[in-house]
Structure formats: C-alpha cells, structure tokens
Amino acid sequence: MTDVFGDLVGQDEAVAALRRAAASAAALLRAPVPAPAGGPDDLDALAEEHDGDPGPADPGAGMTHAWIFTGPPGSGRSVAARAFAAALGCVHGTGCGSCPGCHTTLTGTHADVRLVVPEGLSIGVNEMRALVLRAASAPSGGRWQIVIIEDADRLTEAAGNALLKAIEEPPPRTVFLLCAPSTHPDDISVTIRSRCRVVPLRQPPPAAVAEVLVRRDGIAPDVAEWAAAAAQGHVGRARRLARDPEARQRRDAVLAVPRRLTGVGAAFDAASALIEAAEAEAAASVAEIDEAERTALQTALGAGGTGRGAAGAMRGAAGQLKDLEKRQKSRATRAQRDALDRALVDLAGFYRDALIMALRAPVAPVHTDTASLAGAGAQKWDAEGSLRRLEAVLECRAAIEANVKPRIAVEAMMLALWRG
Ligand SMILES: [Zn+2]
C-alpha cells in the first residue's frame, strides 16, 4: 500500500522535502505557537527561523504558506501539489492515503481544498478575487485552507496581482500551491516567486515511468517500456499510449508525416491533416463534459417551465447559457492547442532521433518503432539537415505559444520540413 506520494514518479528529492514539510505542518497544528495566536506571520516567521534546519521535532520547520511546483509537462506538478495538499489534510499528518482527509482531498471533495484548473487560455481576475476571498476563511476541518492553482503561468496580470496580495498577507491557516512550467518571469512574476518556496520536479526517466505503469496500471512490461520512451517522460501520456488504441493511431499518423512530405501540395495536405486531427481529438475530449454541463444547467434552470415567472427565468437562463457557451468555447480552444502540441512533441521526437543517429550519439531513440525510418532520414539529411528540421518543429510550437494562428504556423513548419 503506497501513500499519497506514491504516484510521483522519479521525484525522490521533492517527495522527501514535501514529507518533511507535512510533518512540520502537523507538528505546528499540535503545538500552536504562543501569542499572538494565529497571527498572520506565524507560519512565515517559523519557516524562516527554521529554514535549513528541518527536523520533525520543530513545529514549523520546512513548512511555509506558499509553494511553486515547477517542471516540464507531465512531470507531475499537479500530482505533487495534490499529494502535498492531501498530506496537509491527512488526519495523521503524513498523507497516509486512506484516511478521510487524504481521500477527500484526492477526490476533490475536501471542503478546505480549492482547485483552480484554468479551462480557458488564462485565469481571470474575478475568478482569482473570489478564490482569495474564500481562502481567507478559517479551515472548517481545523487544519489548513488550501488553494491549488494549476497552470499558474496562465494567470492574467490582474489575477496575478490579486494572488500576490493574498500571498503577501496570508491568512494564518491558508496555504497556496502553485504549478508552473518554470520560475522564469514569463511563467510566474518575480514578486510572487520571491514569496514562494520552489519544488522543482524533473522529467522522470523512462524506466521509472515504465515501472509505475506496470505496478499501478497492470500494463505488460514491454508495452510499458515502449510507451514510456514514446511519451518522453510524460506519465499521463505514457499511460494513454499504453491503453488507448486511438491515441496510438493518432501518434502513428503524426509519425507518418515525415514520409509523406513529397512536395508542396503534400506539405499543405499534411498541415491540414494535423490540424484536423487535433480538432477531432479535442472535440472528442470535451464533448462529454460539455453535454453534461448543458444538461445540468438546463435542469437547474427548469427548462420548459411555463408557470408564473417562467419568462423572467428564461431571460436569466439565456444569459447563463451564453456564459456557459463562452466557457466551453474557451475550453475547446485550449484542448485543441494541447492536442496539437502533443502531436508536435511527437514529431520533434522523430527528428531528434534522426539527429542523434546522424551524430552516432549513444542515446536511446524516443520512438523505437520508427527508429529505422529516422535512421534513413539521418543518412539522407545528415546532422545539419536533421537539426534544421527539429528546429522547424520547435519554432512552430513557439509560434503557436506566441499566438500565431495554428494553421499558419503548421503550414510554415511543413514547408520547412519538406525543403529541409
Ligand atoms: Zn491520511
């Protein structure tokens, strides 16, 4: 039986730090600091006082009220934040994984844990203000109020400022857990960063990912090894590849692109195919939840009512329905970008394989199943040509990140890949 940190693959250092902090937090609850009891600076002062001297016997050592989990996509930023939240809410203070505190946190039903998962491309200021306000109340379970912000790099500037204010003057029992790709100022403001303790996660090695797929998901070892390598350290992606035949088909189609680039027309066709595949994948991923939300809203609004007040209710309903549609559209856009980005990462892996083969570098290929194709590419293009193609894929990702229209960026990439 593993505890709440069991799903954090290949992150021994981070897990050790989080365990220490959870133990300190539990000690802090057991031994409340003398006056001024519950003052806003208790946690801060204690954390600073004991920094570098972590020991479970010292209440507060290793614990602080604001954290940033950083690491590449799929390294487990949000898994780490949730596990830590569970450990803080755990009635044993350890993250045992089986008590009600752990269980409700992990299933998202704990009354004192708020999770922000931005569905659109950014987190707005209104959402953040409401959140900060609620987080300031005393924890109902007597432990901690926890706010988890996934993709904190998608905060708008105004939302970031609202969050900063809360982190600068934290309520005594509130803990903020932020997740972001890095602490680069593009991802997280310098002022927020300066108030947080950083937990860096690394890209887990394929062997560690394969091990967890076998142990936890019961996947056959050879499939797990292949999927772990193909997913390039992204645990969730590895699991999907191992289990979902459609995900494998989509990947096969992406990896067929290099072979299909035989001319300008073919390059444009390949661009269209890639974009449309991402759209289809995104549509499938949001369809179910969109429908459930619409039904729930219609039920809540009593759709089809004809009694007194029905006309007024209808007017209100139209507004709410419009809000919902706006949210859903924003979520669909994000899902499309995520799907397209996954395809580009796969494609980059192919050209990276060609490059390491051209250089005869003693490194394992990302895509073992297209290794011979990458080898043929390496002979034809040499290291320089392979590198140029890899760069074309990475430039396409960067352009889309910078809001260039995906179709335009992908067409430019396909032409560059064809011309070499
Ligand atoms: Zn527990």
Side-chain angles (χ1 to χ4, degrees):
M1 173 72 210
T2 54
D3 65 8
V4 293
F5 295 108
D7 282 351
L8 267 170
V9 183
Q11 311 291 351
D12 297 348
E13 264 173 62
V15 169
L18 295 174
R19 282 191 201 283
R20 265 201 310 273
S24 313
L28 202 63
L29 292 177
R30 276 196 303 272
V33 229
D41 294 323
D42 292 358
L43 204 47
D44 250 356
L46 274 165
E48 273 161 30
E49 201 175 301
H50 292 276
D51 240 1
D53 174 28
D58 299 336
M63 182 57 190
T64 188
H65 69 274
W67 299 72
I68 302 179
F69 297 83
T70 62
S75 57
R77 299 182 302 237
S78 65
V79 176
R82 282 174 218 229
F84 186 43
L88 293 176
C90 173
V91 299
H92 307 293
T94 58
C96 67
S98 44
C99 76
C102 285
H103 189 71
T104 52
T105 304
L106 293 179
T107 53
T109 53
H110 196 296
D112 296 329
V113 181
R114 260 163 285 287
L115 177 67
V116 183
V117 186
E119 291 179 333
L121 294 173
S122 65
I123 306 176
V125 64
N126 289 336
E127 191 181 351
M128 186 53 66
R129 283 207 186 109
L131 189 81
V132 162
L133 203 64
R134 282 189 59 196
S137 57
S140 63
R143 298 186 74 88
W144 306 96
Q145 278 278 10
I146 299 169
V147 179
I148 303 175
I149 303 177
E150 287 192 3
D151 299 321
D153 54 308
R154 289 177 175 165
L155 290 171
T156 62
E157 197 185 336
N161 287 337
L163 175 65
L164 176 63
K165 225 176 272 171
I167 292 180
E168 277 178 337
E169 293 165 28
R173 285 289 177 81
T174 303
V175 181
F176 293 92
L177 308 179
L178 281 51
C179 308
S182 75
T183 54
H184 188 279
D186 283 352
D187 286 339
I188 206 93
S189 81
V190 176
T191 38
I192 290 183
R193 155 76 188 85
S194 70
R195 298 274 169 173
C196 296
R197 185 168 304 169
V198 179
V199 181
L201 302 172
R202 52 193 193 115
Q203 180 168 311
V209 176
E211 188 272 328
V212 82
L213 293 187
V214 171
R215 173 171 54 79
R216 187 187 54 197
D217 303 311
I219 289 163
D222 55 335
V223 177
E225 251 164 60
W226 165 80
Q232 306 181 53
H234 193 305
V235 183
R237 171 101 176 116
R239 187 183 310 128
R240 256 196 310 282
L241 281 176
R243 288 188 145 174
D244 178 0
E246 280 181 27
R248 283 200 291 274
Q249 269 167 24
R250 282 193 294 267
R251 173 181 168 278
D252 288 346
V254 168
L255 292 178
V257 163
R259 251 192 312 243
R260 289 174 47 191
L261 294 173
T262 51
V264 178
F268 279 104
D269 286 349
S272 285
L274 198 66
I275 297 275
E276 280 151 27
E279 281 171 358
E281 183 185 343
S285 76
V286 297
E288 201 174 321
I289 182 155
D290 278 2
E291 181 56 33
E293 282 176 352
R294 247 192 320 272
T295 310
L297 181 61
Q298 277 162 355
T299 310
L301 295 169
T306 51
R308 267 194 308 160
M314 291 281 278
R315 276 195 297 277
Q320 287 190 47
L321 210 53
K322 214 178 233 164
D323 277 354
L324 179 65
E325 277 166 7
K326 206 170 117 195
R327 270 208 314 281
Q328 292 185 337
K329 191 160 175 245
S330 168
R331 177 166 59 208
T333 304
R334 165 126 188 242
Q336 275 173 26
R337 296 226 183 154
D338 288 349
L340 185 57
D341 197 56
R342 273 194 295 279
L344 292 174
V345 169
D346 281 345
L347 201 54
F350 177 85
Y351 291 108
R352 173 251 186 220
D353 287 349
L355 177 62
I356 59 163
M357 287 176 198
L359 293 172
R360 295 195 170 69
V363 191
V366 166
H367 302 297
T368 46
D369 45 355
T370 53
S372 61
L373 203 62
Q379 281 200 331
K380 201 162 125 196
W381 307 322
D382 213 349
E384 217 178 297
S386 304
L387 179 62
R388 272 201 307 277
R389 287 172 173 84
L390 173 58
E391 280 174 343
V393 181
L394 299 179
E395 270 166 29
C396 178
R397 287 185 79 197
I400 292 171
E401 183 69 26
N403 270 328
V404 172
K405 260 188 139 202
R407 182 173 288 273
I408 291 176
V410 171
E411 283 173 356
M413 174 190 77
M414 291 295 185
L415 287 173
L417 291 179
W418 167 62
R419 277 196 300 257

